[in-house]
Amino acid sequence: MIEIVDLTKSYGPIEALRGVSFSVASGQVVGLLGPNGAGKSTAMKILTGYLQPDSGTVKVDGLDVLTHTREVQARIGYLPENAPLYPELTIQSYLRMMADLREIPREEQTARLSEAIYATGLVEYLTRPIRQLSKGFRQRVGLAQAILHRPKLLVLDEPTIGLDPTQIVEIRHLIHRLARHTTILFSSHILSEVEAVCDRVIIIMNGEVKADAHLAELSATADAILVLQSETDGVDQALRAIDGAHKIESIQSTDGYPAFRITTQNEKDLCPIIYDLARQKNWPVRELRRDAKTLEAVFNQLATAA
Protein backbone atom coordinates (compact mmCIF):
# COMPACT_ATOMS: atom_id res chain seq x y z
CA MET A 1 0.00 0.00 0.00
CA ILE A 2 2.89 2.39 0.80
CA GLU A 3 6.33 2.30 -0.79
CA ILE A 4 8.83 5.04 0.07
CA VAL A 5 12.38 4.92 -1.28
CA ASP A 6 15.28 7.29 -0.45
CA LEU A 7 13.06 10.20 0.51
CA THR A 8 14.83 13.50 1.25
CA LYS A 9 13.49 16.91 2.21
CA SER A 10 15.25 20.03 3.47
CA TYR A 11 14.02 23.35 4.79
CA GLY A 12 16.94 25.58 3.96
CA PRO A 13 19.93 24.22 5.89
CA ILE A 14 17.75 21.87 7.95
CA GLU A 15 17.53 18.28 6.65
CA ALA A 16 14.10 17.05 7.72
CA LEU A 17 14.39 13.71 5.90
CA ARG A 18 17.63 12.00 4.88
CA GLY A 19 17.14 8.95 2.68
CA VAL A 20 14.05 7.57 4.40
CA SER A 21 12.81 4.25 3.01
CA PHE A 22 10.03 1.94 4.20
CA SER A 23 7.03 0.03 2.90
CA VAL A 24 3.68 -0.87 4.42
CA ALA A 25 1.56 -3.79 3.26
CA SER A 26 -2.21 -3.59 2.86
CA GLY A 27 -4.11 -4.17 6.08
CA GLN A 28 -1.29 -3.26 8.46
CA VAL A 29 -1.57 -0.77 11.32
CA VAL A 30 1.84 0.89 11.55
CA GLY A 31 3.02 3.40 14.14
CA LEU A 32 5.30 6.20 12.96
CA LEU A 33 7.31 7.44 15.93
CA GLY A 34 9.98 10.00 16.62
CA PRO A 35 10.75 13.04 18.79
CA ASN A 36 9.64 16.53 17.81
CA GLY A 37 11.45 17.64 14.66
CA ALA A 38 12.37 14.09 13.65
CA GLY A 39 10.61 14.31 10.28
CA LYS A 40 7.37 12.39 10.94
CA SER A 41 4.96 15.12 9.91
CA THR A 42 7.09 15.98 6.87
CA ALA A 43 6.96 12.34 5.74
CA MET A 44 3.18 12.23 6.16
CA LYS A 45 2.67 15.50 4.29
CA ILE A 46 4.74 14.16 1.38
CA LEU A 47 2.89 10.84 1.48
CA THR A 48 -0.48 12.61 1.26
CA GLY A 49 0.61 14.94 -1.56
CA TYR A 50 0.62 18.17 0.47
CA LEU A 51 4.38 18.64 0.19
CA GLN A 52 6.93 17.77 -2.48
CA PRO A 53 10.19 16.00 -1.59
CA ASP A 54 13.63 17.08 -2.78
CA SER A 55 14.26 13.56 -4.06
CA GLY A 56 13.06 9.98 -3.71
CA THR A 57 9.92 8.12 -4.73
CA VAL A 58 6.61 7.74 -2.90
CA LYS A 59 3.91 5.34 -4.06
CA VAL A 60 0.48 4.63 -2.62
CA ASP A 61 -1.49 1.65 -3.90
CA GLY A 62 0.99 1.42 -6.78
CA LEU A 63 0.56 5.06 -7.86
CA ASP A 64 3.33 7.65 -7.74
CA VAL A 65 2.24 10.48 -5.44
CA LEU A 66 4.06 13.14 -7.49
CA THR A 67 2.56 12.20 -10.87
CA HIS A 68 -0.86 10.90 -9.74
CA THR A 69 -1.52 13.23 -6.82
CA ARG A 70 -5.30 13.51 -7.16
CA GLU A 71 -5.75 9.78 -7.65
CA VAL A 72 -3.62 9.05 -4.60
CA GLN A 73 -5.42 11.61 -2.44
CA ALA A 74 -8.74 10.00 -3.40
CA ARG A 75 -7.47 6.79 -1.79
CA ILE A 76 -6.27 8.47 1.43
CA GLY A 77 -8.04 9.68 4.56
CA TYR A 78 -5.86 12.20 6.38
CA LEU A 79 -6.20 13.63 9.88
CA PRO A 80 -3.39 16.13 10.53
CA GLU A 81 -2.47 17.10 14.09
CA ASN A 82 -4.58 20.26 13.79
CA ALA A 83 -7.53 19.37 11.59
CA PRO A 84 -8.51 22.24 9.23
CA LEU A 85 -12.15 22.76 10.22
CA TYR A 86 -14.58 25.58 9.45
CA PRO A 87 -15.77 27.00 12.80
CA GLU A 88 -18.87 28.73 11.40
CA LEU A 89 -20.29 25.47 10.01
CA THR A 90 -22.27 22.87 11.92
CA ILE A 91 -20.87 19.34 12.04
CA GLN A 92 -23.54 18.13 9.62
CA SER A 93 -22.99 20.89 7.06
CA TYR A 94 -19.21 20.48 7.27
CA LEU A 95 -19.35 16.74 6.66
CA ARG A 96 -21.85 17.23 3.85
CA MET A 97 -19.43 19.72 2.26
CA MET A 98 -16.57 17.23 2.63
CA ALA A 99 -18.71 14.54 1.00
CA ASP A 100 -19.24 16.85 -1.98
CA LEU A 101 -15.54 17.67 -2.17
CA ARG A 102 -14.76 13.96 -2.07
CA GLU A 103 -17.19 13.56 -4.98
CA ILE A 104 -19.23 10.94 -3.16
CA PRO A 105 -22.41 10.40 -5.22
CA ARG A 106 -25.49 12.05 -3.70
CA GLU A 107 -27.33 8.74 -3.48
CA GLU A 108 -24.50 7.33 -1.31
CA GLN A 109 -23.89 10.35 0.90
CA THR A 110 -26.53 9.62 3.55
CA ALA A 111 -25.16 6.13 4.18
CA ARG A 112 -21.55 7.35 4.23
CA LEU A 113 -22.36 10.26 6.56
CA SER A 114 -24.28 8.01 8.95
CA GLU A 115 -21.44 5.50 9.00
CA ALA A 116 -18.81 8.15 9.86
CA ILE A 117 -21.03 9.96 12.37
CA TYR A 118 -21.93 6.83 14.32
CA ALA A 119 -18.34 5.57 14.23
CA THR A 120 -17.03 8.78 15.81
CA GLY A 121 -19.86 9.32 18.31
CA LEU A 122 -21.17 12.59 16.85
CA VAL A 123 -24.85 11.66 16.50
CA GLU A 124 -26.10 14.03 19.21
CA TYR A 125 -24.04 17.03 18.08
CA LEU A 126 -24.78 17.34 14.36
CA THR A 127 -26.44 20.76 14.56
CA ARG A 128 -23.80 22.27 16.82
CA PRO A 129 -21.39 24.82 15.26
CA ILE A 130 -17.81 23.57 15.18
CA ARG A 131 -16.62 26.71 17.01
CA GLN A 132 -18.56 25.55 20.08
CA LEU A 133 -16.85 22.15 20.22
CA SER A 134 -14.08 21.12 22.60
CA LYS A 135 -10.70 20.04 21.27
CA GLY A 136 -11.68 16.39 21.67
CA PHE A 137 -14.88 16.75 19.65
CA ARG A 138 -13.05 18.69 16.94
CA GLN A 139 -10.73 15.71 16.67
CA ARG A 140 -13.74 13.48 16.23
CA VAL A 141 -15.05 15.69 13.43
CA GLY A 142 -11.63 15.60 11.77
CA LEU A 143 -11.59 11.82 12.01
CA ALA A 144 -15.12 11.59 10.62
CA GLN A 145 -14.13 13.52 7.49
CA ALA A 146 -11.04 11.32 7.11
CA ILE A 147 -13.07 8.10 6.95
CA LEU A 148 -16.08 9.51 5.09
CA HIS A 149 -15.04 8.13 1.69
CA ARG A 150 -13.88 4.71 3.01
CA PRO A 151 -10.22 5.27 2.15
CA LYS A 152 -7.78 2.48 1.39
CA LEU A 153 -5.15 4.27 3.48
CA LEU A 154 -5.81 6.23 6.66
CA VAL A 155 -3.06 8.59 7.86
CA LEU A 156 -3.52 9.78 11.45
CA ASP A 157 -1.21 12.40 12.97
CA GLU A 158 -1.74 12.51 16.76
CA PRO A 159 -5.42 11.43 16.49
CA THR A 160 -6.00 11.20 20.26
CA ILE A 161 -4.59 14.62 21.18
CA GLY A 162 -7.03 16.51 23.40
CA LEU A 163 -9.21 13.48 24.09
CA ASP A 164 -10.11 12.27 27.57
CA PRO A 165 -9.30 8.66 28.60
CA THR A 166 -12.77 7.37 27.64
CA GLN A 167 -12.59 9.01 24.21
CA ILE A 168 -9.09 7.62 23.67
CA VAL A 169 -10.38 4.09 24.28
CA GLU A 170 -13.25 4.74 21.85
CA ILE A 171 -10.85 5.94 19.15
CA ARG A 172 -8.65 2.90 19.80
CA HIS A 173 -11.62 0.59 19.22
CA LEU A 174 -12.55 2.55 16.10
CA ILE A 175 -9.04 2.13 14.68
CA HIS A 176 -9.22 -1.62 15.31
CA ARG A 177 -12.54 -1.76 13.42
CA LEU A 178 -11.23 0.34 10.53
CA ALA A 179 -8.12 -1.87 10.29
CA ARG A 180 -10.28 -4.74 9.03
CA HIS A 181 -10.46 -3.09 5.60
CA THR A 182 -8.08 -0.10 5.75
CA THR A 183 -4.31 0.30 6.00
CA ILE A 184 -3.48 2.74 8.82
CA LEU A 185 -0.38 4.86 9.42
CA PHE A 186 -0.58 6.17 12.97
CA SER A 187 1.66 8.81 14.53
CA SER A 188 1.53 9.58 18.24
CA HIS A 189 3.71 10.76 21.12
CA ILE A 190 1.73 8.51 23.47
CA LEU A 191 3.72 5.29 23.24
CA SER A 192 1.15 3.26 25.16
CA GLU A 193 -1.39 4.14 22.45
CA VAL A 194 0.97 2.92 19.76
CA GLU A 195 1.51 -0.35 21.66
CA ALA A 196 -2.26 -0.80 22.01
CA VAL A 197 -3.12 -0.08 18.38
CA CYS A 198 -0.20 -0.92 16.08
CA ASP A 199 1.21 -4.18 14.69
CA ARG A 200 4.51 -2.61 13.74
CA VAL A 201 6.47 0.57 14.41
CA ILE A 202 8.82 2.72 12.34
CA ILE A 203 10.99 5.04 14.42
CA ILE A 204 12.45 8.13 12.75
CA MET A 205 15.15 10.21 14.41
CA ASN A 206 17.17 13.04 12.90
CA GLY A 207 15.46 12.44 9.57
CA GLU A 208 16.48 8.77 9.33
CA VAL A 209 14.77 5.45 10.01
CA LYS A 210 16.36 4.05 13.17
CA ALA A 211 14.07 1.05 13.64
CA ASP A 212 11.43 -0.78 11.60
CA ALA A 213 10.01 -3.94 13.12
CA HIS A 214 6.98 -5.61 14.60
CA LEU A 215 6.41 -4.74 18.26
CA ALA A 216 7.23 -8.29 19.38
CA GLU A 217 10.59 -8.12 17.60
CA LEU A 218 11.48 -4.75 19.10
CA SER A 219 10.60 -5.80 22.62
CA ALA A 220 12.35 -9.19 22.52
CA THR A 221 15.59 -9.64 24.45
CA ALA A 222 17.79 -12.60 25.27
CA ASP A 223 17.77 -11.71 28.98
CA ALA A 224 16.08 -14.13 31.37
CA ILE A 225 14.11 -13.22 34.49
CA LEU A 226 14.06 -15.69 37.38
CA VAL A 227 11.65 -15.00 40.25
CA LEU A 228 11.81 -17.08 43.44
CA GLN A 229 9.14 -17.71 46.04
CA SER A 230 11.54 -16.86 48.86
CA GLU A 231 15.15 -15.84 49.53
CA THR A 232 17.51 -18.73 48.70
CA ASP A 233 21.24 -19.02 49.34
CA GLY A 234 23.74 -19.61 46.55
CA VAL A 235 21.51 -18.62 43.62
CA ASP A 236 23.71 -15.74 42.46
CA GLN A 237 26.87 -17.86 42.39
CA ALA A 238 25.15 -20.76 40.59
CA LEU A 239 23.75 -18.44 37.92
CA ARG A 240 27.16 -16.87 37.32
CA ALA A 241 28.56 -20.32 36.53
CA ILE A 242 26.17 -20.81 33.60
CA ASP A 243 27.95 -20.88 30.26
CA GLY A 244 26.85 -17.80 28.30
CA ALA A 245 25.69 -15.77 31.31
CA HIS A 246 27.31 -12.34 31.04
CA LYS A 247 25.77 -10.42 33.95
CA ILE A 248 23.63 -11.41 36.94
CA GLU A 249 21.57 -8.63 38.48
CA SER A 250 19.57 -8.99 41.69
CA ILE A 251 16.19 -7.22 41.35
CA GLN A 252 12.77 -7.12 42.96
CA SER A 253 9.78 -8.42 41.04
CA THR A 254 6.69 -6.22 40.72
CA ASP A 255 5.00 -8.15 43.53
CA GLY A 256 8.02 -7.95 45.84
CA TYR A 257 9.53 -11.41 45.42
CA PRO A 258 13.32 -11.86 45.06
CA ALA A 259 14.34 -12.00 41.42
CA PHE A 260 17.37 -12.08 39.11
CA ARG A 261 17.98 -10.76 35.60
CA ILE A 262 20.45 -12.94 33.68
CA THR A 263 22.01 -11.16 30.69
CA THR A 264 23.75 -12.87 27.80
CA GLN A 265 25.87 -11.34 25.05
CA ASN A 266 25.33 -14.04 22.43
CA GLU A 267 21.48 -13.83 22.23
CA LYS A 268 21.24 -17.43 23.46
CA ASP A 269 18.04 -18.33 25.30
CA LEU A 270 19.22 -19.36 28.77
CA CYS A 271 15.77 -20.23 30.16
CA PRO A 272 16.03 -24.00 29.50
CA ILE A 273 19.45 -24.12 31.20
CA ILE A 274 18.20 -22.07 34.17
CA TYR A 275 15.16 -24.33 34.45
CA ASP A 276 17.30 -27.47 34.63
CA LEU A 277 19.59 -25.80 37.18
CA ALA A 278 16.63 -24.75 39.33
CA ARG A 279 15.32 -28.32 39.35
CA GLN A 280 18.73 -29.69 40.36
CA LYS A 281 19.10 -27.12 43.16
CA ASN A 282 15.46 -27.44 44.23
CA TRP A 283 14.94 -23.66 44.11
CA PRO A 284 11.41 -22.39 44.92
CA VAL A 285 10.77 -20.98 41.44
CA ARG A 286 7.80 -18.65 41.10
CA GLU A 287 8.46 -17.50 37.52
CA LEU A 288 10.99 -17.97 34.72
CA ARG A 289 10.66 -16.05 31.46
CA ARG A 290 12.44 -14.13 28.73
CA ASP A 291 12.62 -10.44 29.56
CA ALA A 292 10.90 -7.92 27.29
CA LYS A 293 11.56 -4.22 26.72
CA THR A 294 8.76 -1.71 26.60
CA LEU A 295 8.39 0.51 23.56
CA GLU A 296 9.40 3.42 25.78
CA ALA A 297 12.66 1.64 26.69
CA VAL A 298 13.40 0.93 23.01
CA PHE A 299 12.61 4.53 22.07
CA ASN A 300 14.82 5.97 24.82
CA GLN A 301 17.66 3.61 23.91
CA LEU A 302 17.56 4.77 20.30
CA ALA A 303 17.29 8.42 21.34
CA THR A 304 20.34 8.08 23.58
CA ALA A 305 22.33 6.39 20.79
CA ALA A 306 21.31 9.13 18.33
Side-chain angles (χ1 to χ4, degrees):
M1 181 55 65
I2 301 173
E3 185 178 352
I4 293 178
V5 180
D6 290 332
L7 196 62
T8 67
K9 179 65 180 178
S10 296
Y11 301 101
I14 300 172
E15 290 183 293
L17 297 175
R18 300 188 289 180
V20 167
S21 298
F22 64 84
S23 61
V24 176
S26 295
Q28 286 191 325
V29 181
V30 177
L32 188 63
L33 304 180
N36 289 331
K40 305 186 305 299
S41 293
T42 296
M44 285 187 283
K45 287 176 182 177
I46 292 172
L47 177 66
T48 52
Y50 288 95
L51 195 64
Q52 287 209 347
D54 296 336
S55 64
T57 59
V58 183
K59 292 183 179 180
V60 172
D61 199 23
L63 297 174
D64 191 296
V65 173
L66 297 181
T67 57
H68 297 84
T69 306
R70 291 294 296 274
E71 293 95 325
V72 168
Q73 289 176 337
R75 289 164 164 78
I76 294 176
Y78 180 36
L79 176 61
E81 185 173 349
N82 297 300
L85 306 176
Y86 294 85
E88 69 277 8
L89 297 181
T90 64
I91 294 175
Q92 186 173 27
S93 58
Y94 169 74
L95 292 178
R96 180 72 70 177
M97 180 189 73
M98 294 305 298
D100 288 337
L101 289 174
R102 286 289 187 182
E103 298 181 346
I104 298 173
R106 280 282 176 174
E107 62 271 18
E108 296 180 22
Q109 285 192 11
T110 300
R112 298 286 187 90
L113 286 164
S114 296
E115 186 178 291
I117 288 164
Y118 276 98
T120 52
L122 293 170
V123 178
E124 299 178 8
Y125 306 91
L126 294 180
T127 59
R128 186 172 297 184
I130 291 173
R131 66 171 174 270
Q132 296 179 6
L133 300 177
S134 67
K135 172 66 174 176
F137 273 94
R138 291 187 185 200
Q139 283 296 99
R140 292 193 194 196
V141 176
L143 186 55
Q145 66 79 25
I147 65 175
L148 196 58
H149 56 300
R150 298 174 184 164
K152 287 189 173 184
L153 172 63
L154 188 58
V155 179
L156 305 175
D157 192 358
E158 301 288 349
T160 57
I161 190 169
L163 303 186
D164 63 37
T166 301
Q167 293 168 341
I168 288 174
V169 172
E170 291 172 356
I171 295 299
R172 184 188 301 172
H173 291 324
L174 173 58
I175 290 172
H176 281 303
R177 291 197 300 273
L178 292 172
R180 296 170 189 166
H181 50 76
T182 305
T183 304
I184 299 176
L185 189 64
F186 178 100
S187 174
S188 176
H189 284 98
I190 306 173
L191 299 184
S192 59
E193 284 304 301
V194 175
E195 287 182 305
V197 169
C198 299
D199 309 313
R200 169 182 156 214
V201 295
I202 298 168
I203 299 177
I204 296 179
M205 293 184 176
N206 298 324
E208 298 177 335
V209 174
K210 297 295 184 181
D212 180 357
H214 286 82
L215 283 170
E217 296 170 346
L218 277 179
S219 62
T221 74
D223 296 354
I225 299 293
L226 172 66
V227 183
L228 301 179
Q229 194 73 32
S230 59
E231 294 287 351
T232 305
D233 294 334
V235 176
D236 185 275
Q237 293 86 344
L239 292 173
R240 291 183 188 279
I242 293 176
D243 183 30
H246 172 66
K247 180 181 178 182
I248 310 299
E249 181 182 1
S250 180
I251 59 176
Q252 284 286 327
S253 66
T254 54
D255 45 9
Y257 288 92
F260 299 86
R261 176 181 288 107
I262 302 93
T263 304
T264 177
Q265 285 185 319
N266 58 14
E267 301 300 316
K268 180 181 179 181
D269 183 5
L270 296 180
C271 286
I273 299 173
I274 296 170
Y275 175 76
D276 289 339
L277 180 62
R279 289 186 61 188
Q280 293 171 16
K281 300 289 187 180
N282 200 28
W283 292 339
V285 175
R286 181 179 177 84
E287 181 183 3
L288 175 62
R289 58 178 171 82
R290 291 280 291 270
D291 196 13
K293 293 181 288 188
T294 63
L295 183 56
E296 182 178 0
V298 173
F299 188 88
N300 290 334
Q301 183 180 354
L302 290 170
T304 302

